Amino acid sequence: MAQGHNTRSITIRRMAWPAGESLPIGAPLQPSVVYGAESPDGLDDLYEGRAEGWTYAREGHPNAATLAARINALEGAEGGHVMGSGMAAITAVMLGLCQAGDHVIGSDQLYGKSLKMLRDDLPRLAIGTTLVDATDAAMVEGALRPETKLILLEVVSNPTIRIADIAGVAALARARGVKLVIDNTFTTPRAFQAYTHGADVIVHSVTKLLAGHSDATLGYAVARDPADRAAIAMASATWGLTPSPFDCWLAERGLFSFDLRYDRAEDNAAALADHIADLPGILRVLYPGRADHPESIRARDLLAGRYGNMVSFEVRGGRDAANALVRAMPNVPFAPTLGDIGTTLSHPATSSHRGLSPAGRAAMGITEGFFRVSVGVEDIAVLKEEFAAGIAAAHDVG
Ligand SMILES: *Cc1c(COP(=O)(O)O)cnc(C)c1O
């Protein structure tokens, strides 16, 4: 059959890649949505798990699988699944593991959208929820019900930098047959090996420190129990929580420098916290490695010296002082994210916590003068100068 030009342009898609003995050092990017099988028998083998391969990208694709394998290695886990965002990963855990009538406990200082999911969305699906102060395992124990299925915690809370009573809650969870889900985004596997501290399920916003360049939105979830892993992967495929291959490829590239970025950012954070603590106009600095942190001993026991890159602080004065501070440090992006390779500054009262009343924010210590810093890998001398200028400007106004 003679082929017209249009038809030829389609059939050449099926030509093989040039073969060779050489292996690429850079990771390949595979954006294909579908994968051809060799025969109906071959497709059967794929679906039944007798053969390795791909069918349709919503169910899985090579770039998601390679990224998941690398995060598995960091977490000491098996069978993790990469999804389209950190919230997609938390969604897959909730939809995959919970039924109507179940009950979920969460920390009252979870990431904002996790809080919203527990407060508003799971109850709409007849999954009961209770939010408690997770710095005290007795509060979590008081919230347990016979139908409690999961407890969702972050080790270090955002932006208040409080440390959850992980050991106490893990012991309770084990004794009562409740699954402990740890959102390890802030702490990362570098500071906190969640499985060894009793987690049954680990989730990540890969968007943050793991990918590290604010150019990919991704999440990851893994469970100890193979049935839970399968349920999470099925929820991801059914509810369409699929990650983009390009984002996975970017995150994989970011992950290669994760350890280096993390170590440098952590050193910077410790030095910056100590530097700003003594400046005029500073009311308090929150960093888990400082002796004046409210849970400094627990932080030492849980984090083994890996105190992370997140620092919060409060300056005297209201909104005017806050505006002056941000305007006096133009080289630090004022942006509500964390985990970028560069330092970013956020103001929870006008971003993550703007939905709360001023009284609700005050109860958490989030005043107009409260800032959260995600410290990056810059030269520490530059960071010290930049923050000293911002804090001095706030002091002049406040
Ligand atoms: C950002 C974040 C999330 C949500 O991740 P996305 O990738 O933005 O959906 C969840 N938990 C924590 C602790 C986060 O910081």
Side-chain angles (χ1 to χ4, degrees):
M1 187 172 68
Q3 291 191 341
H5 181 74
N6 287 344
T7 313
R8 241 186 348 262
S9 70
I10 293 168
T11 52
I12 57 169
R13 293 183 75 184
R14 303 199 53 118
M15 283 167 51
W17 289 81
E21 289 299 307
S22 47
L23 292 170
I25 285 181
L29 170 63
Q30 180 48 274
S32 189
V33 169
V34 287
Y35 292 81
E38 161 274 324
S39 66
D41 276 352
L43 198 54
D44 255 352
D45 289 344
L46 280 175
Y47 274 115
E48 301 302 325
R50 291 185 296 264
E52 297 264 340
W54 317 102
T55 51
Y56 188 65
R58 182 161 35 67
E59 319 237 331
H61 53 71
N63 288 102
T66 43
L67 177 61
R70 296 194 196 286
I71 302 174
N72 290 341
L74 295 179
E75 284 290 6
E78 226 180 284
H81 199 74
V82 167
M83 284 158 276
S85 67
M87 289 316 301
I90 295 172
T91 300
V93 169
M94 295 300 169
L95 295 178
L97 306 190
C98 295
Q99 317 276 343
D102 285 347
H103 176 243
V104 174
I105 297 173
S107 157
D108 60 7
Q109 297 204 11
L110 289 173
Y111 179 72
K113 281 289 189 281
S114 303
L115 272 183
K116 182 187 178 299
M117 183 190 287
L118 264 63
R119 199 190 304 114
D120 303 337
D121 295 70
L122 295 183
R124 260 186 321 111
L125 304 175
I127 297 167
T129 59
T130 309
L131 298 170
V132 296
D133 176 358
T135 60
D136 183 356
M139 302 293 286
V140 176
E141 184 165 27
L144 281 169
R145 298 185 197 161
E147 63 273 23
T148 304
K149 186 75 180 263
L150 302 178
I151 302 170
L152 172 62
L153 298 183
E154 293 166 23
V155 184
V156 179
S157 69
N158 172 18
T160 50
I161 319 284
R162 299 297 300 272
I163 313 290
D165 184 359
I166 299 290
V169 175
L172 271 180
R174 203 163 41 241
R176 304 285 280 268
V178 175
K179 298 202 180 206
L180 177 59
V181 183
I182 298 278
D183 179 338
N184 206 17
T185 300
F186 249 58
T187 25
T188 81
R190 193 111 179 109
F192 191 75
Q193 290 282 304
Y195 272 173
T196 67
H197 289 276
D200 299 290
V201 179
I202 304 170
V203 297
H204 275 285
S205 170
V206 178
T207 313
K208 310 291 173 52
L209 287 134
L210 294 181
H213 295 72
S214 302
D215 54 11
T217 304
L218 291 169
Y220 165 93
V222 71
R224 266 186 193 286
D225 180 342
D228 289 349
R229 299 205 282 268
I232 289 166
M234 187 54 85
S236 170
T238 304
W239 295 80
L241 308 173
T242 316
S244 140
F246 182 56
D247 278 19
C248 294
W249 181 82
L250 283 171
E252 189 184 359
R253 192 170 186 269
L255 208 55
F256 296 142
S257 63
F258 162 66
D259 288 356
L260 292 171
R261 286 186 282 108
Y262 189 88
D263 291 358
R264 169 74 175 239
E266 183 174 70
D267 288 347
N268 278 353
L272 186 66
D274 288 343
H275 176 70
I276 64 176
D278 298 327
L279 297 176
I282 284 280
L283 295 176
R284 61 193 173 116
V285 170
L286 284 163
Y287 185 66
R290 281 177 58 84
D292 61 1
H293 186 278
E295 287 102 20
S296 67
I297 300 204
R298 180 182 293 162
R300 192 194 59 205
D301 292 347
L302 276 179
L303 302 174
R306 306 314 310 251
Y307 299 119
N309 78 314
M310 303 299 296
V311 179
S312 290
F313 66 90
E314 187 177 4
V315 291
R316 201 186 315 279
R319 176 67 63 88
D320 289 347
N323 283 333
L325 184 146
V326 172
R327 287 178 183 139
M329 13 189 334
N331 296 319
V332 174
F334 176 59
T337 188
L338 66 100
D340 188 76
I341 186 156
T343 300
T344 53
L345 179 66
S346 84
H347 184 245
T350 48
S351 56
S352 52
H353 291 66
R354 65 176 300 123
L356 294 182
S357 66
R361 283 195 294 267
M364 299 176 72
I366 299 174
T367 62
E368 284 289 341
F370 187 88
F371 285 91
R372 187 200 72 186
V373 189
S374 171
V375 181
V377 304
E378 297 93 333
D379 189 332
I380 184 62
V382 173
L383 285 179
K384 284 180 178 174
E385 249 172 56
E386 197 77 20
F387 277 83
I391 291 163
H395 187 51
D396 287 346
V397 173

